[in-house]
Amino acid sequence: MTGQVVVVGSANVDLVVDVPRHPAGGETILGGDLRRTPGGKGANQAVAAARAGGADTTFVGALGRDESGELLLASLAGAGVRTDTVERVDAPTGTALITVSPDGENAIVVAPGANSRVRVGAAQARRIAAADVVLAQLEIPLDTVIAAARERRAGALFVLNAAPSRDLPDALWDQLDVLVVNEHEAADLAGAGSGAATPEELAAALLARVPAVVVTLGVAGSLVAERGADAVRVPAAKVAAVDTTGAGDTYCGVLAASLAGSGRAGSGLLRAAHLAGSAGALAVTRPGAQDAVPDAADVVALAETLGKAS
């Protein structure tokens, strides 16, 4: 894949503990050794776009002037991500507290720290204006997300991974080209509550506000829906999950990288979802977030294998 991706988002240091099960309210349990690894939805997606997606990738974010900030910069640079638009601010680097159960499922609490100060200044705006795809999430201020979307050039795509779930203002809905959500986030945005709406029904409701929707379905794969076309299910590879932390971010980064290579959503979105699904599947077979992002060659090989089997 080729193309330029700018990821505007969060960066956290992940403090991870393996647990026999996630604790209930008021309960204390003993876990394994503490692991300290680079994470954050935005930084994870940038690493994925560069390493697993092969795109020329820039990360726009904010880090504290601390050791955690250095850890994250080193991880981004090691994956080939441009970091000259990352600002160092007088706030602690974001931190995520993560427990991981034996089946690979995680529970996460985030202290945003410096992520609350991510902004789109002149240098960031210039880089965004040169991108083919701008990718953002919701762990940073909404005003910053909207500002980033407005700085993209004509013909460039704005992809939003609407996580963590929150209400979106009209000013942001109006900027969206592709919306990526899981089933819970889709239900929240579609106003379906906890109802029994199918992914197809949720996607159809969301298409009233955005041209294209990808609903990620975990082990069931994903659903790709575009205006004027039938929704398509994309199956997932069957793998043994070790840690699901960052798998969705890997998916989003590779999706953006593939769209940057194709130059438009359209027919490119379905292939992008196939590649993204393969990347996400490989990511869950390894511990960590950025540490688990696979290489592009492995992603393409798995996607081709799945294509032959279908």
Side-chain angles (χ1 to χ4, degrees):
M1 304 170 215
T2 58
Q4 294 189 49
V5 174
V6 172
V7 181
V8 183
S10 60
N12 298 320
V13 60
D14 290 347
L15 303 181
V16 186
V17 179
D18 293 322
V19 293
R21 58 182 173 78
H22 296 295
E27 181 183 20
T28 299
I29 62 174
L30 293 178
D33 292 337
L34 178 69
R35 302 194 303 273
R36 184 172 176 270
T37 62
K41 296 191 72 64
N44 294 346
Q45 292 177 12
V47 167
R51 182 189 300 154
D56 180 346
T57 305
T58 294
F59 178 59
V60 172
L63 299 170
R65 307 177 194 279
D66 49 26
E67 185 182 353
S68 295
E70 297 300 326
L71 173 69
L72 283 154
L73 281 178
S75 180
L76 288 161
V81 177
R82 298 188 190 194
T83 60
D84 54 310
T85 53
V86 175
E87 295 190 328
R88 307 300 291 271
V89 300
D90 293 325
T93 295
T95 301
L97 309 176
I98 304 174
T99 55
V100 181
S101 58
D103 60 359
E105 289 298 319
N106 59 60
I108 305 174
V109 176
V110 175
N115 295 312
S116 298
R117 303 191 186 185
V118 178
R119 70 183 187 99
V120 177
Q124 292 81 5
R126 285 193 296 271
R127 191 63 57 81
I128 289 168
D132 299 297
V133 173
V134 179
L135 171 62
Q137 330 74 35
L138 300 177
E139 286 185 337
I140 60 174
L142 282 174
D143 288 347
T144 302
V145 177
I146 295 168
R150 288 174 172 167
E151 292 293 343
R152 73 191 188 283
R153 62 174 174 79
L157 295 176
F158 180 64
V159 180
L160 178 68
N161 173 214
S165 186
R166 61 195 296 186
D167 291 334
L168 304 184
D170 289 343
L172 183 51
W173 278 111
D174 293 343
Q175 296 295 327
L176 300 186
D177 295 304
V178 181
L179 175 68
V180 184
V181 284
N182 63 25
E183 287 184 89
H184 302 294
E185 294 151 1
D188 288 345
L189 290 175
S194 59
T198 67
E200 285 80 4
E201 290 169 337
L202 294 172
L206 292 170
L207 286 177
R209 304 210 66 177
V210 61
V213 178
V214 178
V215 183
T216 58
L217 305 171
V219 296
S222 63
L223 176 77
V224 176
E226 301 172 78
R227 288 176 182 166
D230 292 334
V232 179
R233 290 263 187 158
V234 177
K238 290 181 171 56
V239 296
V242 173
D243 183 359
T244 59
T245 305
D249 296 331
T250 299
Y251 183 104
C252 292
V254 172
L255 187 86
S258 181
L259 290 175
S262 68
R264 63 189 183 94
S267 61
L269 185 57
L270 187 57
R271 171 164 171 74
H274 278 282
L275 289 167
S278 295
L282 290 171
V284 305
T285 65
R286 309 168 187 176
Q290 292 171 34
D291 293 341
V293 173
D295 293 330
D298 293 333
V299 172
V300 172
L302 179 57
E304 289 178 347
T305 299
L306 291 175
K308 292 174 183 177
S310 60

